[in-house]
Amino acid sequence: RPRVLSGIQPTADSFHFGNYLGALRQWVTMQDEFEPFFFIADQHAITVEQDPKQLRDRCLRAAAQLIAAGVDPEKSAIFMQSHVPAHAQLGWVLQCLTGFGEARRMTQFKDKSAKQGEGAASVGLFTYPVLMAADILLYRPQYVPVGEDQRQHLELTRDLAQRFNHRYKKTFRLPEPFITKETAKITDLQEPTAKMSKSASSPAGIIDLLDEPSVSAKKIRSAVTDSGSEVRFDADEKPGVSNLLTIYSTITDTPVAALEEQYAGKGYGDFKKDLAEAVVEFVTPFRNRTLELLEDRDRLNDVIAAGAAKASAVAERTLADVYDRVGFVPPV
Ligand code: TYM
């Protein structure tokens, strides 16, 4: 079976609807057809200042949330990036193939470093996309299910794979981004043209999966729409309503057209009220499952240990090929 791989950063106490709809949902549906590898990018999380105790806590919460979302540890390798040292090791080799200017063109680095000033950003933040390329290439996956914001990183990954294959010997498979058009960019509820984002959104703009369901319902009811009254999908003219339609459609498995019909002649109030209820229905069991999983730390630790073992077996084989091809003397 071809492989599928993706990762997520443990940079908040909870994943949000963008993470879930843009990425995790696809992880869940793809795990049957592909050989799945999903990891928590703890090494990426330290590219910005963080608190150690909080990070440890968030990593376990992340693992619990993946399982609660439907990533099945019986099928998928679920692991911590730092438990598979080959990621950092291949990362170094790929850094030596990456042009300085090439790394500098990454828009996510530009955005994130602009906030603190480029001089204050860590070198880790700068080389982050190269580590991400290593994360991916080690597993030679066919698909990498992500949201739109990761597309440029996937392009860099493909460029680096090609460069390595060309300079040395064919080693890497060129991975394809798997970006689901409808949910590629879930937007901020208060600023519906901006991405819903852990780092940039205001609390009212973001729906966390682990929020009190009543809080999420309230956020939906106060989401920014427009001065019209028609519930219709039009991303340019009606970004707020369109975003809500996307969320509604995916969590209830109802086509957008059916929702448009259902709310024809009704106002935004009814629409938001029903969506708020659907959100509560969706997040309540998710939240309960996550909290339950967090009660059993031993089980979580077993899951990530088994995941790391599965992942290491694959990753170390690729790394050995890479070390051989660049000309390192094998240790004896
Ligand atoms: P991260 O942790 O920021 O986000 C995890 C996943 O959620 C997607 N996503 C969204 N999708 C739609 N709408 C949104 N508003 C939204 N916000 C986030 C992201 O696109 C991502 O798929 N660099 C990655 C983590 C990573 C990774 C990897 C991913 C590290 N190594 C290797 C794939 C393969 C990141 O920061 O995602």
Side-chain angles (χ1 to χ4, degrees), residues 6 10 35 37 46 99-100 112 128 158 194 200 230 311 322:
S6 199
E35 188 188 352
F37 293 86
I46 66 166
F100 200 88
K112 285 197 177 171
Y128 168 122
R158 288 169 61 89
E230 203 187 344
V322 168

Side-chain angles (χ1 to χ4, degrees), residues 7 9 18-19 39 128 132 135 146-147 149-150 184 186 195-196:
Q9 291 202 59
N19 301 134
F39 69 95
Y128 168 122
M132 175 163 165
D135 298 335
V146 287
D149 60 349
Q150 299 300 317
I186 299 298
K195 172 180 85 158
M196 184 182 286

